[in-house]
Amino acid sequence: MTPFTISLDGIGSYGDLWWAGISHSPALDAVVRRIRRALAENGIPFDRKKFSPHITLLRKASGSSMPPLSTENVSAAVESISLMRSDRGKRGMIYTEAGALTAEGASE
């Protein structure tokens, strides 16, 4: 994987979940296609709905509204991507890394 940059693009909420959106990135789209192709070729089920990149900021938020936050000029270098498995546990979600793509091109 070639390193690339992502930029935040707005803040939003859905119910009690607060998130920050990610601006459109052709490099990120290419990684998503690569991962989905590998999953399909190996018979591994995955969510086929449209990819909507975001960062979850808060789950189970309380209160009536989000505080005013700005994502202007917020970006980060992406040098690796982890594919995570999520399982519902007794005390919430349990996340386990299933594999990774790194800038060196290695995949685990």
Side-chain angles (χ1 to χ4, degrees), residues 12-78:
S13 64
Y14 183 76
D16 63 355
L17 182 125
W18 295 0
W19 52 266
I22 305 289
S23 295
H24 178 256
S25 166
L28 180 57
D29 288 345
V31 170
V32 170
R33 284 191 303 274
R34 179 178 169 186
I35 291 170
R36 287 181 169 193
R37 185 171 38 252
L39 291 170
E41 288 171 357
N42 288 284
I44 300 170
F46 61 94
D47 190 342
R48 294 180 182 269
K49 70 182 174 196
K50 181 182 177 206
F51 180 63
S52 181
H54 68 281
I55 298 170
T56 300
L57 301 173
L58 182 64
R59 291 182 187 274
K60 298 184 181 177
S62 61
S64 59
S65 64
M66 295 180 66
L69 301 170
S70 172
T71 60
E72 197 172 322
N73 300 319
V74 177
S75 61
V78 177

